[in-house]
């Protein structure tokens, strides 16, 4: 089994990576990250990439991810402020990382999963995908979007052997 993991340098993603490395059923673990990971394992394939850079992400996905069985979408970022205080570049960056990069990766790996009629997509989200909070407008909107992507994708893939899960 081959796994793609984003956001593996810290927190939940790093803990997930360690669990995957402990599994004997994992053949390859592709990690997309802009920061190096100080773990050495022959199954670990590090793909240096800033997922908010559309062109860079496309190149990484196009050339490396045809054999993915499981996609764990963990990369994310948060920025918090009142709407009127937000710089729109920060909002765009937040959406690029929390939502659009996942969509772009899916565009690259789904045709291969569909051809094999097999796969699993796991979105790591947040409680913010279900409720708003003060100064969380942009973050919550990006996480609501991720939950919507997950729900619609689950419907789109009905009848295939490709599962979609969101963990909030």
């Amino acid at each position: 089994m081959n796994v793609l993991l984003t956001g593996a340098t810290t927190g939940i993603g790093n803990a997930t990576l360690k669990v995957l490395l402990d599994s004997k059923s994992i053949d390859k673990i592709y990690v997309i990250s802009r920061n190096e990971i100080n773990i050495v394992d022959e199954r670990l394939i590090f793909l240096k990439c800033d997922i908010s850079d559309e062109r860079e992400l496309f190149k990484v996905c196009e050339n490396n991810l045809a054999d993915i069985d499981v996609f764990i979408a963990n990369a994310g970022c948060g920025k918090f402020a009142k709407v009127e205080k937000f710089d729109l570049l920060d909002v765009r960056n937040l959406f690029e990382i929390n939502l659009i990069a996942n969509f772009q990766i899916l565009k690259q790996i789904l045709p291969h999963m569909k051809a094999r009629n097999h796969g699993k997509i796991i979105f790591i989200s947040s409680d913010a995908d279900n409720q708003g909070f003060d100064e969380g407008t942009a973050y919550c909107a990006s996480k609501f979007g991720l939950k919507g992507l997950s729900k619609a994708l689950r419907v789109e893939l009905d009848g295939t052997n490709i599962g979609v899960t969101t963990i909030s």
Side-chain angles (χ1 to χ4, degrees), residues 18-153:
K18 290 174 181 172
V19 169
L20 292 171
L21 288 167
D22 285 342
S23 175
K24 303 294 183 212
S25 65
I26 306 292
D27 299 313
K28 294 183 211 169
I29 305 165
Y30 295 88
V31 173
I32 297 177
S33 177
R34 66 177 168 229
N35 300 316
E36 295 275 342
I37 296 174
N38 296 323
I39 298 174
V40 177
D41 189 289
E42 64 186 22
R43 297 169 300 158
L44 186 61
I45 301 164
F46 178 74
L47 304 170
K48 186 168 178 62
C49 177
D50 176 356
I51 66 169
S52 68
D53 183 325
E54 182 181 340
R55 289 185 181 127
E56 190 178 334
L57 183 58
F58 179 80
K59 286 179 196 172
V60 164
C61 292
E62 181 181 49
N63 297 321
N64 297 291
L65 304 179
D67 63 347
I68 298 301
D69 299 298
V70 178
F71 171 34
I72 304 172
N74 180 68
C77 70
K79 183 127 180 151
F80 307 95
K82 301 281 188 195
V83 170
E84 65 273 14
K85 300 291 184 186
F86 252 108
D87 181 296
L88 285 180
L89 289 176
D90 289 335
V91 175
R92 284 187 180 96
N93 186 61
L94 193 129
F95 270 80
E96 284 288 339
I97 293 170
N98 291 353
L99 180 60
I100 296 168
N102 291 312
F103 199 94
Q104 186 173 353
I105 292 168
L106 287 168
K107 278 183 55 89
Q108 297 296 316
I109 65 173
L110 269 176
H112 303 289
M113 286 182 171
K114 285 180 175 180
R116 292 189 310 271
N117 195 34
H118 170 77
K120 183 71 178 164
I121 299 158
I122 303 166
F123 296 106
I124 308 299
S125 189
S126 160
D127 286 342
D129 70 4
N130 204 34
Q131 61 186 4
F133 58 88
D134 189 37
E135 296 191 355
T137 316
Y139 180 74
C140 291
S142 71
K143 292 301 183 174
F144 269 74
L146 185 62
K147 188 173 189 177
L149 170 62
S150 176
K151 286 182 172 192
L153 186 59

